[in-house]
Structures are given as C-alpha cells and as structure tokens.
Amino acid sequence: QVHLQESGPGLVKPSQTLYVTCTVSGGSVSSGEYYWSWIRQSPGKGLEWIGYIHYTGGTYYNPFLKSRISMSMDTSKNQFSLRLTSVTAADTAVYYCARADNWKPTWFDPWGQGTLVTVSS
Amino acid sequence: QSVLTQPPSVSAAPGQKVTISCSGSSSDIGNNYVSWYQQLPGTAPKLLIYDNNQRPSGIPDRFSGSKSGTSATLDITGLHTGDEADYYCGTWDSSRTISYVFGTGTKVTVL
C-alpha cells in the first residue's frame, strides 16, 4: 500500500522561499503511470491544486501560481518536492502531497497527512 | 478560484440520506470526470468517488456519485455520526483555469 509523508519547515518569513518534500513508501515515484501532486488548504478554507511532477521530469503548474512554483524529484530517495518563492501570508496553508492518475488528473489517492506551513515574520 | 459550487452545509438525522450537489460548467464537469473527497476533522482528504460514480475498494456502497450535464451529486445513505465531515468535489477545468479545480466544500452534520 502506497503511503505519502510530507515534511516542511513549519515557519517561513515573508518574501522567502517555501520548500516542502514528500516521501513515498510502498511504491515508486518512478512509476510512469502516476503523476505526483501538491495540493494546499489555507486555514478554514477549501482545497487548491498546485500542480504535479512526472518521473520523466514533466511538470504542470496551476496557472495562478505558476510564476512562483517549481517542482523536482529525487528518484534515489523516492521523494518529490515543491518550491514556492516570494511567499506571503496568503501562502499559509497545510500542504498535501498526493498521487494522481493522469496528466489531466481525474483523481488523487492516496494523500499524505499534510504539513502546516505558516508565513510570518 | 473555485469554479465548482457546493452548498455550504447539509444535515440529516442518523440513518437518513443527504445529497450534496456540485455545480460547474461545460468546461469542467460537463466534459471531464468528477471525483469526491471526504475530509474528517483534522485529517487529510480521502478519495470517496472517482470517474463520476466509481468507488475505490473499501468505500461502502452507502456513498454513491452521479453526474448529469454540468452538475454532479454525491449521495450518502444510512447516515452515521462518523460521516460528519467536509466533502469536496473536483474535476479538470479544460478552458477557464486549465487546471484541476475543487468545489467550495460542504459540511455534513449528523443531527
């Protein structure tokens, strides 16, 4: 059974860069059939899809965040990561990683437990 | 940013049925598969329904999904107190945002 686990800094200062990592166990990020995704949820709010990375290195980012996002993958560690630059308080959220089925996702499963990142000075 | 509209809340007594609607457009629900997610308090979302009406293994048949035109529906029958959660629909938006979009979310309360 595939399990995803996020790790992050907890606190980031405004204008700095947020970096969170997802470690996959019970499966391989090199599996070509899946797309490894990031989704966030601001406190008390709904879900926002951030984007995904495929093991080939292909990525697709939410157009609303595209200018500040980059994603990477380390197959040797079975991990993938999200980098978000120039953060503001609006980027305070729980960041989830999840596995998607397609380049045009139709579902996300499973999800990690999430990591809360707070942007504050 | 959400382009999918859900009622903020629905409620019913134990054993009863609730229906959650998810309203979109031809650029999203109308031409793409819908999935549904359950988020219990303090936990990560969990896939409940995919491809409009398919249940992953382990999801009881009390949960069912359907789609018609530009709207989708999640039905929960035989309501349990353990079903109290937030529920989100989601689908790909092919033209407005050209990204995956989630619904606004619905809080289910068991009276």
Side-chain angles (χ1 to χ4, degrees):
Chain A
Q1 180 145 354
V2 176
H3 180 76
L4 283 68
Q5 177 75 55
E6 304 88 347
S7 57
L11 181 66
V12 180
K13 288 182 167 45
S15 81
Q16 293 191 342
T17 297
L18 174 161
Y19 195 75
V20 288
T21 295
C22 182
T23 301
V24 179
S25 57
S28 173
V29 295
S30 299
S31 169
E33 66 183 301
Y34 296 116
Y35 293 72
W36 303 94
S37 302
W38 289 98
I39 296 156
R40 70 180 183 179
Q41 184 172 34
S42 300
K45 305 283 180 151
L47 301 167
E48 180 179 32
W49 180 71
I50 299 172
Y52 65 65
I53 184 167
H54 188 251
Y55 91 101
T56 56
T59 56
Y60 190 89
Y61 303 145
N62 184 324
F64 289 91
L65 298 167
K66 184 177 181 179
S67 63
R68 298 194 292 130
I69 296 173
S70 63
M71 295 182 188
S72 60
M73 182 177 280
D74 186 338
T75 56
S76 68
K77 295 181 179 178
N78 220 26
Q79 293 177 334
F80 60 103
S81 299
L82 166 69
R83 182 171 173 268
L84 180 64
T85 62
S86 305
V87 297
T88 70
D91 296 310
T92 293
V94 175
Y95 286 77
Y96 296 103
C97 57
R99 185 182 65 175
D101 65 316
N102 197 284
W103 68 270
K104 190 174 79 167
T106 63
W107 52 255
F108 300 97
D109 181 61
W111 296 54
Q113 67 182 29
T115 186
L116 174 62
V117 179
T118 301
V119 179
S120 174
S121 55
Chain B
Q1 184 191 336
S2 179
V3 298
L4 305 180
T5 303
Q6 298 178 233
S9 63
V10 297
S11 60
Q16 298 300 302
K17 172 185 173 180
V18 293
T19 296
I20 301 171
S21 60
C22 175
S23 177
S25 70
S26 58
S27 73
D28 41 69
I29 291 177
N31 282 286
N32 294 288
Y33 285 116
V34 176
S35 54
W36 289 90
Y37 303 86
Q38 176 193 57
Q39 187 174 32
L40 296 168
T43 70
K46 173 185 172 183
L47 179 65
L48 265 189
I49 297 288
Y50 68 98
D51 291 359
N52 303 331
N53 55 17
Q54 301 299 302
R55 281 186 307 277
S57 96
I59 300 299
D61 60 8
R62 300 187 299 106
F63 296 92
S64 63
S66 62
K67 185 182 108 168
S68 178
T70 59
S71 292
T73 299
L74 175 70
D75 288 323
I76 309 174
T77 58
L79 208 56
H80 296 167
T81 55
D83 296 332
E84 279 209 344
D86 293 321
Y87 292 82
Y88 294 91
C89 59
T91 191
W92 185 261
D93 176 10
S94 301
S95 63
R96 277 189 281 180
T97 63
I98 314 179
S99 66
Y100 195 89
V101 289
F102 290 97
T104 49
T106 298
K107 169 70 176 175
V108 169
T109 300
V110 181
L111 301 172

